[in-house]
Amino acid sequence: MIRVLVVDDNPIVREALRANLDASGTVLVVGEAGDGRAALDAARRLRPHVTLLDYRMPVADGLAIVTELARLTAVLALTSEDADVVVRDMLRGGARGYLVHGEFDPAELVRAVTVVASGRSWLSPAAATVAAESLRRAQEAAEAGAKADQRHRETQQRYGLTPRERQVLDLVAEGLANVVIAERLRLTEKTVKNHLHAVFAKLGARNRTEAVLRWTGR
């Protein structure tokens, strides 16, 4: 039997979920809680395999406890909230699955609990769409970052700066003054100035700002 904790601030919802799950013959509801704090206490005491977790609750909502709760039990978010940010944050917080009221029937609820208990994920259509979009955006951001890094490396290689000149210019890019750069690199301030003169010449820059912009490829 899969042991389940039902967490929802609405007692009618809790009763309906208990009835549907207990009727399955494979799932047993071992406890209920009406707020986040009570949910954590119940999870520690009852050690359920799966916890059905609502998002909006008094005392502490689902998002406030999902990470801690996920250390104790597999979390299956079950809520009427389908906003992108809520779905994304609950999944990032550790929820293994996400169901939206109105998008499942009793049989699918039991399947979702069973799948989540086995260590896999289960997402309702709305949650799956959000997860896929989040993954797409993360991939696009990673690809953009990789391209920017590549452009930066190509820019740096083109100017042929010495290792010390690169160090000095990197610190200039951080907004540090010559005297601070000198202290950081254990050089004299005059030596830093000499390196910068060489850097300006190689980059064809008239000042620190132009040098940084060309160095970073912006």
Side-chain angles (χ1 to χ4, degrees):
M1 297 287 282
I2 300 173
R3 295 162 53 83
V4 172
L5 171 65
V6 176
V7 182
D8 195 294
D9 63 336
N10 188 328
I12 296 176
V13 172
R14 295 200 304 269
E15 182 179 351
L17 291 173
R18 175 186 282 274
N20 287 330
L21 293 172
D22 285 347
S24 70
T26 58
V27 178
L28 175 65
V29 176
V30 296
E32 300 178 12
D35 64 69
R37 188 174 301 166
L40 289 172
D41 291 341
R44 295 187 186 100
R45 185 177 72 257
L46 301 171
R47 295 293 174 176
H49 299 115
V50 178
T51 294
L52 301 182
L53 179 64
D54 189 17
Y55 171 68
R56 295 189 182 279
M57 296 183 295
V59 184
D61 64 21
L63 185 57
I65 67 166
V66 63
T67 299
E68 186 174 357
L69 189 63
R71 299 190 184 104
L72 304 170
T73 172
V75 176
L76 174 58
L78 198 164
T79 177
S80 59
E81 184 62 68
D82 62 356
D84 292 3
V85 65
V86 175
V87 176
R88 185 170 59 249
D89 288 348
M90 288 290 279
L91 294 176
R92 286 177 176 173
R96 193 173 290 171
Y98 200 106
L99 286 176
V100 178
H101 285 296
E103 293 190 356
F104 62 90
D105 57 23
E108 185 174 357
L109 173 62
V110 173
R111 286 197 299 272
V113 169
T114 303
V115 168
V116 168
S118 72
R120 293 173 291 163
S121 298
W122 185 284
L123 301 177
S124 67
T129 298
V130 172
E133 180 63 16
S134 180
L135 180 61
R136 184 188 65 79
R137 290 177 180 174
Q139 184 174 359
E140 288 179 350
E143 291 175 352
K147 289 179 181 178
D149 289 343
Q150 179 62 27
R151 288 195 302 270
H152 184 42
R153 286 193 297 270
E154 292 172 353
T155 298
Q156 293 178 345
Q157 293 171 359
R158 184 167 70 247
Y159 291 115
L161 302 188
T162 67
R164 180 63 83 183
E165 289 167 351
R166 290 198 297 270
Q167 284 183 318
V168 169
L169 190 49
D170 283 337
L171 294 176
V172 169
E174 292 180 17
L176 301 184
N178 288 353
V179 62
V180 178
I181 295 173
E183 293 175 356
R184 183 78 62 87
L185 299 180
R186 299 181 182 275
L187 302 172
T188 66
E189 189 173 354
K190 181 178 180 180
T191 300
V192 171
K193 289 180 180 179
N194 289 338
H195 282 310
L196 282 177
H197 286 314
V199 166
F200 292 166
K202 290 181 179 180
L203 270 63
R206 293 170 296 180
N207 52 50
R208 299 164 78 93
T209 300
E210 284 188 5
V212 169
L213 291 176
R214 294 181 184 181
W215 179 238
T216 56
R218 297 175 184 170

